[in-house]
Amino acid sequence: GVLSSDEYSGAVVTLLHSCTLSGGHSLPQELLTITRNFFLSATPRLISSCETLSKVTRKFTQTCLALKQPLFAVKPLHRVVAALSSAFDVSPIHTDLLQVCLASKCYHVGAKILQAGIIQVSPMPSGLTATDML
């Protein structure tokens, strides 16, 4: 099977999350590439557990920023945000996207997220924290 298969996306997110728990503050290059490719194939069915997925996107974001490659993360994170089921909820994944947009000077992508009109913040399903909102 291919990592982008909707049938296995929940399992893949769980596997990626398990891989992010080990090994310090950043992901190894091979896992970074696998994670990026998986995010690029994001579909609404991929978002089965936003909280687990947000932990993976957070580590992905931290790694790209540490490697001084924030542009590497913009397109895949934008794809994941686009696949989120409710366009009016904000999640930690939105904050990860905005962070790499600022660092890579892709202001136009970040502006689209901010102009979308966030209606509500759902801390329970999204795993959003006060720090994410700041």
Side-chain angles (χ1 to χ4, degrees):
V2 177
L3 283 180
S4 63
S5 174
D6 278 348
E7 295 177 36
Y8 305 108
S9 64
V12 173
V13 169
T14 302
L15 178 63
L16 290 172
H17 178 249
S18 297
C19 293
T20 65
L21 295 175
S22 61
H25 296 290
S26 63
L27 299 173
Q29 185 62 43
E30 184 176 334
L31 187 56
L32 188 69
T33 302
I34 290 169
T35 304
R36 183 179 194 270
N37 291 338
F38 180 69
F39 289 165
L40 287 170
S41 67
T43 63
R45 285 193 59 196
L46 175 137
I47 314 299
S48 57
S49 174
C50 190
E51 186 174 354
T52 301
L53 182 62
S54 69
K55 291 176 183 176
V56 176
T57 62
R58 180 60 43 94
K59 184 73 118 185
F60 178 74
T61 299
Q62 290 171 346
T63 302
C64 290
L65 292 172
L67 294 172
K68 299 193 184 322
Q69 296 179 349
L71 190 57
F72 187 77
V74 172
K75 188 174 181 180
L77 290 175
H78 189 256
R79 179 78 175 156
V80 171
V81 165
L84 288 171
S85 57
S86 174
F88 300 108
D89 283 343
V90 66
S91 73
I93 301 167
H94 287 81
T95 61
D96 291 334
L97 175 58
L98 290 172
Q99 190 174 12
V100 296
C101 285
L102 288 172
S104 65
K105 299 181 182 173
C106 288
Y107 305 123
H108 62 288
V109 176
K112 288 178 187 176
I113 299 300
L114 294 173
Q115 292 170 349
I118 298 165
I119 303 298
Q120 66 183 22
V121 177
S122 304
M124 291 308 288
S126 69
L128 196 66
T129 66
T131 305
D132 294 319
M133 287 305 296
L134 297 174

